[in-house]
Amino acid sequence: MRILSGEPVVGLTEWIALMLLLTVLRFVFMLWKVRISEKWAYGVGALVMGWFLRTLRNLAPSNFHGPEGERAVESAYESTQVLQSNSSVCFQAVQAVLQLVVFLPVLFYISWPLTLFLFVVVVPLIGWMQRKIHRMGPEEESLLEARAVFRQDLGLARKLFCRWSSRYERNHVSGGLMQSVRSLRERGLSTSVRKGALSLTAETVSVLAMVVVLAFCAKLISSGWMDGTGLVLFCSAVLLCYKPVKECARVVPQMRASATAYNVLVRFGNLPKRKPCGGNRDDGLHVDDGRFQYEGSDAALFCGISFSWDRSKPVLLRGRNGVGKSTLLRLAAGLEEWQGDAKMPRDVFFVAQDLELPPRFILQELLKRKSGALDKFIQASGTEKLVLRESLSGGQRARVALLWALASDSSTVLLDEPFASIALADREPLLESFLDAAAALHKWTIVVSHDSLGASVEGRFRVVDMEALVGGGVVEG
């Protein structure tokens, strides 16, 4: 204004140079802020994901006896993504607050009546809008849970599409997924539209407040309370304050989403944790008055059973289907937890019926450590080339799993029907080769099997009747 009136503090050229310098400084500062905020965002994402994985690893098995546990895991995973995507909101809020701290004193200096008007009229309106946005928290949590359920159903459908051939069931499951997609789309669209409408309303309130402020300025000028220079300065300060106010309006929904995600993760972190193992590498399997019941089941599977097995001989478990043989192995492996006094061995390698093989390079690393110790079993099982193959049949997967059990550092190996998918003629020779290798490596083996074995092979085992064990029969070690 002084330059235009002919009374400049600095010349026009100097003023332009100063503005260019300030613009460059602003660019450098904002670039530095972007780098810091993104580094912070990805760092927070990595920390939250690490916490999520540790918590998931230590959850008690009972959490997964029903679909609620899977949903809790999926909801927690979705929440980790929300926290990472919204973690930069802290920097946006700090920047907005700092801008207001700088320019609010300027507003009071130029015109305290106008500034009071802003605080009396505008700020309460924005606060009301923020409270409306906060009330959307339960709706966003419900949407997160619905997405988790969809991810769970999608995983089940993916397995079904690979293993089930009947067209009717496949179409029915696919139709259910499409219905879930439509429901999620409608709910997500409704929530996003409401959130966007509230943000736009808050922004519109800010714009209308500026219009009212300008009208109030005109009234002050007409009354002689303000001149043209004061009007320009105040409008400039208001415009500079408008951006941080708008940023604050945008920050609120992100903070609400982050708070919702945090609440979901807190509930996930409060789920029951796995109990520490009570045994050691040299212990056998000792249970005193052991009880176990699946969550949601009407009756206990094991009720007051007691037994003690030492590691002097391998154990062969036999019994009819449904008596609890697989569950007993899961309990011994620490995948389920006894309700009672039990000492399970540590460092257990469990070969389950529905086997999932980890990445094959891990097995190759283990085999390098035990070079030569497994040559006989590798030759007997024909697994030398199978280790490098990506696609394996059921029998080939079982052979690789047996080799993996021997190559592992575990001192105890649990085998649940390990030869069910292997040809009958190969089962007994392969079992003998496995037992020879396990004995050479000082590994204790517990096997669940329905196969009829020859007297020489069966004589190598301590044979346990599972029905007698569950019914209270005496099982000695």
Side-chain angles (χ1 to χ4, degrees):
M1 293 298 291
R2 291 187 179 182
I3 290 174
L4 293 176
S5 64
E7 303 175 356
V9 177
V10 295
L12 182 59
T13 302
E14 289 82 0
W15 181 84
I16 293 174
L18 181 60
M19 293 302 103
L20 290 175
L21 177 60
L22 289 175
T23 303
V24 172
L25 291 176
R26 179 184 179 277
F27 172 80
V28 172
F29 173 78
M30 296 302 292
L31 181 61
W32 173 80
K33 190 210 77 166
V34 167
R35 289 180 176 177
I36 295 297
S37 62
E38 290 303 311
K39 183 177 180 181
W40 161 268
Y42 281 95
V44 168
L47 288 175
V48 173
M49 182 56 67
W51 174 87
F52 167 76
L53 293 176
R54 289 192 299 272
T55 303
L56 177 62
R57 182 183 62 200
N58 294 323
L59 286 181
S62 58
N63 291 306
F64 303 102
H65 289 171
E68 295 80 8
E70 297 293 340
R71 294 172 187 172
V73 172
E74 295 293 344
S75 298
Y77 175 78
E78 291 284 345
S79 298
T80 61
Q81 304 305 300
V82 171
L83 281 181
Q84 178 173 345
S85 60
N86 291 334
S87 57
S88 60
V89 70
C90 299
F91 285 88
Q92 297 176 13
V94 169
Q95 180 182 350
V97 170
L98 289 177
Q99 287 178 302
L100 291 176
V101 168
V102 171
F103 290 108
L104 281 178
V106 177
L107 290 177
F108 272 104
Y109 175 77
I110 297 173
S111 177
W112 62 267
L114 281 176
T115 306
L116 287 178
F117 174 77
L118 289 176
F119 277 99
V120 171
V121 177
V122 177
V123 172
L125 282 175
I126 294 178
W128 175 76
M129 292 302 304
Q130 290 178 346
R131 288 193 296 272
K132 295 288 288 184
I133 294 175
H134 285 168
R135 292 175 184 173
M136 296 184 65
E139 184 175 348
E140 291 183 340
E141 290 183 13
S142 176
L143 188 58
L144 273 176
E145 294 176 356
R147 288 173 179 167
V149 172
F150 176 76
R151 286 170 62 93
Q152 182 181 1
D153 293 342
L154 182 61
L156 293 175
R158 186 173 63 248
K159 295 180 181 178
L160 181 68
F161 293 159
C162 294
R163 302 174 184 174
W164 196 267
S165 62
S166 175
R167 182 179 300 178
Y168 175 78
E169 288 81 1
R170 289 163 63 94
N171 291 341
H172 192 279
V173 171
S174 179
L177 287 176
M178 287 302 303
Q179 186 176 359
S180 298
V181 168
R182 287 190 289 269
S183 176
L184 284 174
R185 180 195 62 192
E186 293 173 1
R187 292 179 60 181
L189 178 62
S190 175
T191 302
S192 297
V193 168
R194 285 187 58 194
K195 188 188 299 183
L198 287 173
S199 296
L200 287 175
T201 302
E203 186 174 337
T204 303
V205 168
S206 301
V207 173
L208 291 176
M210 290 179 59
V211 174
V212 174
V213 167
L214 291 176
F216 194 62
C217 287
K219 181 64 177 177
L220 292 179
I221 291 175
S222 63
S223 302
W225 284 69
M226 180 180 286
D227 56 11
T229 300
L231 174 62
V232 172
L233 290 175
F234 193 84
C235 289
S236 300
V238 169
L239 288 173
L240 290 171
C241 288
Y242 168 71
K243 186 177 184 299
V245 170
K246 183 175 69 173
E247 290 295 330
C248 287
R250 291 178 177 177
V251 160
V252 170
Q254 291 179 287
M255 294 184 67
R256 177 64 260 178
S258 298
T260 299
Y262 175 77
N263 292 334
V264 172
L265 290 176
V266 167
R267 291 197 297 271
F268 179 71
N270 290 333
L271 292 176
K273 301 300 187 297
R274 185 185 300 272
K275 297 177 182 178
C277 177
N280 56 53
R281 291 179 62 95
D282 298 325
D283 279 343
L285 190 59
H286 311 283
V287 178
D288 184 20
D289 192 26
R291 300 176 303 279
F292 178 76
Q293 180 175 348
Y294 284 104
E295 294 288 336
S297 177
D298 296 332
L301 183 59
F302 300 136
C303 184
I305 68 172
S306 301
F307 60 92
S308 180
W309 300 338
D310 59 34
R311 303 172 66 92
S312 59
K313 293 182 69 175
V315 175
L316 177 62
L317 276 176
R318 282 182 169 165
R320 60 182 173 83
N321 291 333
V323 76
K325 302 185 299 298
S326 297
T327 300
L328 182 62
L329 291 193
R330 289 182 58 82
L331 287 163
L335 300 177
E336 301 292 348
E337 292 180 349
W338 286 101
Q339 296 143 14
D341 186 13
K343 291 184 178 181
M344 302 293 105
R346 295 183 180 178
D347 302 321
V348 173
F349 193 101
F350 179 37
V351 179
Q353 295 184 43
D354 50 346
L355 183 65
E356 292 291 340
L357 292 177
R360 214 68 52 78
F361 73 87
I362 302 177
L363 175 57
Q364 296 174 19
E365 293 178 358
L366 290 173
L367 290 174
K368 291 178 182 178
R369 299 182 197 171
K370 299 187 177 181
S371 177
L374 299 175
D375 289 346
K376 290 184 178 180
F377 181 79
I378 291 175
Q379 183 177 2
S381 61
T383 52
E384 182 176 3
K385 296 182 179 179
L386 297 181
V387 174
L388 303 176
R389 289 179 55 178
E390 291 296 329
S391 179
L392 299 175
S393 66
Q396 291 170 338
R397 289 167 62 85
R399 292 170 185 266
V400 171
L402 291 171
L403 174 61
W404 210 315
L406 293 172
S408 71
D409 294 331
S410 301
S411 59
T412 302
V413 178
L414 310 178
L415 307 179
D416 190 4
E417 294 288 351
F419 307 105
S421 55
I422 296 176
L424 287 174
D426 296 336
R427 293 180 183 180
E428 193 165 306
L430 190 58
L431 175 57
E432 285 197 276
S433 179
F434 181 88
L435 292 176
D436 291 339
L441 295 168
H442 306 289
K443 293 179 181 289
W444 185 43
T445 305
I446 301 177
V447 182
V448 168
S449 178
H450 292 104
D451 294 337
S452 296
L453 302 177
S456 61
V457 179
E458 189 168 305
R460 302 180 64 172
F461 287 98
R462 176 189 299 115
V463 181
V464 176
D465 184 349
M466 192 66 193
E467 296 181 56
L469 178 63
V470 174
V474 178
V475 181
E476 298 179 352

